C-alpha cells in the first residue's frame, strides 16, 4: 500500500506530459512487475490511424522518445489486439505472442476518443487483483492527463498554447533530456541525416481585423478555429502547432530538408487560400520561417518574425525564409557582442 501511495503522489504532482508518462510507466513496472511498459500516442495521418511511442521502460531503463527525430510512428493495423480493443471500446485487451509473452493493450479514453494507449508486457498472466489495481492507477493517470491537457491548450482552437510552446521549444533545443527522473536518452536517435533540419514558422492571418470589423467576433473566432483545423491537417503529428495569441500561430517543423519544409509551408498556405470560409469567403495567411540553430529561442523566433513581417509588407499571402531574405539583402542582421539586432 505504501508503494502504491508513493506512485500516486508522484503521478499527481507532475506538471508536464512527459514526466506524467514517466511516472505511469515507472508505477506499472514496479507495482505489477511488468518487464516492458510503453506509453504510445495515437494519431491520424492521411486517413489512417498510426501509433508511436512517447515514453517507455524496457529492462529497467526509462527512455523518452517524444523528441526523437526518427520517431514517425507506424500503422496501428500492425497491432490487431489494440485495433480490436478500440473497435469494441474496451479498456483492456490481452495479446499472447509465439514466445508466450503476454501484452496488455490499455487504451486511454477521453471524451469518447483515444489519443493515448499503454502497452504492458509480462511473461506470466496477471491476477484479477493486479488487473483491478492497474485499472485504478490508469483512472488516476487518465484524469490527470485530462487536467494537464486542459492547461496546455488554447481554449478556443484546441491547439497548444504559448506557455506550452516555451517549454517544448526549450526541450527541442536541448540535446539531452532536462527533466529529472529520466534516464539519458540514446544519443544515436538524435543524430539527423545530412541536410535534415528543424524549422520554426510564424503564421499570421491576413487582414484579420477587417474580418472582425466587418463580420463580427463570432465569425472571427470561427476563422481562427478553421485555420487551426487546417494547421492540424497540414502538418504531421511529430510537428507541433501552437496558437501564440490573437491571429498568430507558431509551427515547429521537425526532421525535414529546407526544400521539403518550404513545400509543406506552401501547401498549408495554399490550403487556406483555397478554403471557403462561411460568410467570410476567402482568407489568406502570411508565413515567415527560420532554421532552428544553436541560437537562443528569442533570436530564432525573432528571425521567423522578421520573415513574417517582410511577407506581410510585401504582398501578403506568401511564405518567406529568413536566411534567403538576409542573403538577398532584403533583411539585414548585425552581430555584436553576442547579440543580434534586426533592421
Amino acid at each position: 500500500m505504501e508503494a502504491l501511495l508513493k506512485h500516486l503522489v508522484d503521478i499527481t504532482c507532475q506538471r508536464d506530459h512527459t514526466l506524467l508518462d514517466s511516472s505511469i510507466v515507472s508505477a506499472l513496472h514496479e507495482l505489477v512487475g511488468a518487464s516492458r511498459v510503453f506509453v504510445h500516442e495515437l494519431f491520424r495521418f492521411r486517413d489512417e490511424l498510426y501509433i508511436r511511442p512517447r515514453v517507455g521502460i524496457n529492462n529497467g531503463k526509462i527512455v523518452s522518445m517524444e523528441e526523437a527525430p526518427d520517431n514517425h510512428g507506424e500503422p496501428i493495423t500492425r497491432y490487431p489486439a489494440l485495433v480490436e480493443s478500440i473497435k469494441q471500446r474496451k479498456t483492456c485487451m490481452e495479446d499472447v505472442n509465439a514466445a508466450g509473452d503476454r501484452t496488455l493493450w490499455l487504451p486511454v479514453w477521453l471524451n469518447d476518443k483515444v489519443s493515448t494507449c499503454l502497452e504492458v508486457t509480462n511473461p506470466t498472466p496477471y491476477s484479477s487483483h493486479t488487473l483491478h489495481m492497474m485499472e485504478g492507477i490508469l483512472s488516476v493517470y487518465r484524469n490527470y492527463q485530462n487536467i494537464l491537457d486542459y492547461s496546455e491548450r488554447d481554449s478556443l482552437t484546441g491547439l497548444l498554447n504559448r506557455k506550452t510552446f516555451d517549454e517544448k521549444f526549450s526541450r527541442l533545443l536541448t540535446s539531452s533530456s532536462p527533466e529529472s527522473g529520466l534516464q539519458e536518452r540514446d544519443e544515436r536517435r538524435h543524430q539527423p541525416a545530412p541536410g535534415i533540419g528543424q524549422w520554426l514558422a510564424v503564421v499570421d492571418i491576413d487582414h484579420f481585423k477587417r474580418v472582425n470589423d466587418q463580420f463580427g467576433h463570432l465569425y472571427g473566432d470561427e476563422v481562427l478555429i478553421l485555420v487551426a483545423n487546417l494547421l492540424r491537417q497540414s502538418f504531421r503529428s511529430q510537428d507541433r502547432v501552437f496558437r501564440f495569441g490573437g491571429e498568430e500561430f507558431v509551427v515547429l517543423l521537425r526532421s525535414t530538408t529546407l526544400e521539403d519544409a518550404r513545400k509543406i509551408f506552401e501547401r498549408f498556405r495554399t490550403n487556406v487560400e483555397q478554403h471557403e470560409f462561411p460568410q467570410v469567403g476567402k482568407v489568406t495567411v502570411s508565413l515567415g520561417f527560420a532554421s532552428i540553430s544553436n541560437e537562443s529561442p528569442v533570436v530564432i523566433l525573432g528571425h521567423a518574425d522578421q520573415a513574417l513581417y517582410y511577407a506581410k509588407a510585401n504582398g501578403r499571402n506568401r511564405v518567406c525564409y529568413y536566411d534567403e531574405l538576409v542573403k538577398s539583402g532584403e533583411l539585414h542582421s548585425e552581430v555584436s557582442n553576442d547579440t543580434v539586432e534586426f533592421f
Side-chain angles (χ1 to χ4, degrees), residues 19-47:
L19 294 178
L20 178 63
D21 289 344
S22 299
S23 296
I24 189 67
V25 298
S26 177
L28 292 177
H29 172 70
E30 182 177 330
L31 294 175
V32 305
S35 60
R36 170 186 165 93
V37 183
F38 274 81
V39 177
H40 297 279
E41 177 183 9
L42 304 182
F43 62 95
R44 287 201 171 274
F45 181 67
R46 294 176 180 173
D47 296 326

Side-chain angles (χ1 to χ4, degrees), residues 36 51 66-67 103 202 229 245 251 268 289 304:
R36 170 186 165 93
I51 179 173
E66 186 178 14
E67 304 300 332
T103 298
V202 182
N229 291 340
V251 179
F268 162 68
F289 74 102

Side-chain angles (χ1 to χ4, degrees), residues 181-303:
L182 288 181
Q183 300 291 334
E184 291 185 4
R185 299 175 185 173
D186 184 356
E187 295 298 330
R188 292 173 298 178
R189 299 181 64 88
H190 296 271
Q191 299 302 320
I196 298 294
Q198 324 280 2
W199 313 90
L200 183 146
V202 182
V203 179
D204 190 88
I205 301 175
D206 296 327
H207 301 299
F208 185 70
K209 183 178 183 300
R210 185 185 303 170
V211 173
N212 279 331
D213 292 344
Q214 184 174 350
F215 300 99
H217 288 277
L218 286 178
Y219 281 102
D221 287 350
E222 185 173 19
V223 168
L224 290 170
I225 293 169
L226 292 174
V227 169
N229 291 340
L230 291 170
L231 280 163
R232 289 190 188 91
Q233 296 167 14
S234 301
F235 296 95
R236 307 161 300 180
S237 73
Q238 64 261 39
D239 304 320
R240 292 290 182 265
V241 183
F242 308 83
R243 185 187 178 196
F244 234 45
E247 68 272 28
E248 194 169 75
F249 304 86
V250 171
V251 179
L252 295 180
L253 184 65
R254 301 162 60 186
S255 305
T256 190
T257 63
L258 171 59
E259 180 182 357
D260 286 341
R262 194 194 312 275
K263 288 180 181 177
I264 292 169
F265 291 137
E266 281 287 357
R267 180 182 63 199
F268 162 68
R269 183 196 63 78
T270 303
N271 288 344
V272 175
E273 184 182 30
Q274 294 178 347
H275 189 81
E276 190 69 28
F277 290 80
Q279 186 69 26
V280 176
K282 294 297 183 182
V283 172
T284 63
V285 296
S286 297
L287 185 150
F289 74 102
S291 61
I292 297 177
S293 59
N294 292 326
E295 299 280 5
S296 70
V298 172
V299 170
I300 297 170
L301 188 59
H303 288 170

Side-chain angles (χ1 to χ4, degrees), residues 8-25:
L8 290 178
V9 169
D10 186 49
I11 290 172
T12 55
C13 76
Q14 304 303 341
R15 298 294 182 269
D16 174 90
H17 272 295
T18 302
L19 294 178
L20 178 63
D21 289 344
S22 299
S23 296
I24 189 67
V25 298

Side-chain angles (χ1 to χ4, degrees), residues 41-265:
E41 177 183 9
L42 304 182
F43 62 95
R44 287 201 171 274
F45 181 67
R46 294 176 180 173
D47 296 326
E48 188 173 0
L49 194 59
Y50 279 71
I51 179 173
R52 66 173 185 148
R54 285 202 307 246
V55 173
I57 184 166
N58 199 8
N59 297 322
K61 182 179 180 181
I62 296 179
V63 290
S64 174
M65 285 129 323
E66 186 178 14
E67 304 300 332
D70 58 344
N71 186 17
H72 303 304
E74 54 187 341
I76 195 175
T77 51
R78 297 183 182 179
Y79 303 96
L82 176 58
V83 173
E84 193 62 26
S85 66
I86 295 175
K87 183 179 178 180
Q88 298 183 22
R89 300 184 60 79
K90 290 190 173 182
T91 57
C92 180
M93 181 72 76
E94 187 177 56
D95 183 37
V96 183
N97 63 17
D101 291 331
R102 298 172 178 271
T103 298
L104 291 178
W105 290 101
L106 306 163
V108 180
W109 295 90
L110 289 174
N111 300 322
D112 295 325
K113 294 182 180 179
V114 178
S115 60
T116 303
C117 76
L118 276 77
E119 174 193 1
V120 183
T121 302
N122 205 53
T124 57
Y126 291 115
S127 66
S128 58
H129 171 75
T130 301
L131 290 173
H132 185 67
M133 180 175 62
M134 289 174 62
E135 183 180 345
I137 295 172
L138 286 175
S139 295
V140 174
Y141 170 74
R142 179 181 62 249
N143 292 341
Y144 208 70
Q145 186 187 55
N146 199 22
I147 293 172
L148 281 184
D149 202 55
Y150 180 80
S151 70
E152 289 185 352
R153 294 192 178 273
D154 172 60
S155 58
L156 177 65
T157 64
L159 297 177
L160 297 170
N161 58 27
R162 172 66 185 268
K163 169 183 170 291
T164 311
F165 166 80
D166 295 337
E167 297 169 354
K168 289 189 177 294
F169 191 35
S170 295
R171 188 179 304 155
L172 182 63
L173 293 174
T174 305
S175 58
S176 59
S177 174
E179 298 91 2
S180 60
L182 288 181
Q183 300 291 334
E184 291 185 4
R185 299 175 185 173
D186 184 356
E187 295 298 330
R188 292 173 298 178
R189 299 181 64 88
H190 296 271
Q191 299 302 320
I196 298 294
Q198 324 280 2
W199 313 90
L200 183 146
V202 182
V203 179
D204 190 88
I205 301 175
D206 296 327
H207 301 299
F208 185 70
K209 183 178 183 300
R210 185 185 303 170
V211 173
N212 279 331
D213 292 344
Q214 184 174 350
F215 300 99
H217 288 277
L218 286 178
Y219 281 102
D221 287 350
E222 185 173 19
V223 168
L224 290 170
I225 293 169
L226 292 174
V227 169
N229 291 340
L230 291 170
L231 280 163
R232 289 190 188 91
Q233 296 167 14
S234 301
F235 296 95
R236 307 161 300 180
S237 73
Q238 64 261 39
D239 304 320
R240 292 290 182 265
V241 183
F242 308 83
R243 185 187 178 196
F244 234 45
E247 68 272 28
E248 194 169 75
F249 304 86
V250 171
V251 179
L252 295 180
L253 184 65
R254 301 162 60 186
S255 305
T256 190
T257 63
L258 171 59
E259 180 182 357
D260 286 341
R262 194 194 312 275
K263 288 180 181 177
I264 292 169
F265 291 137

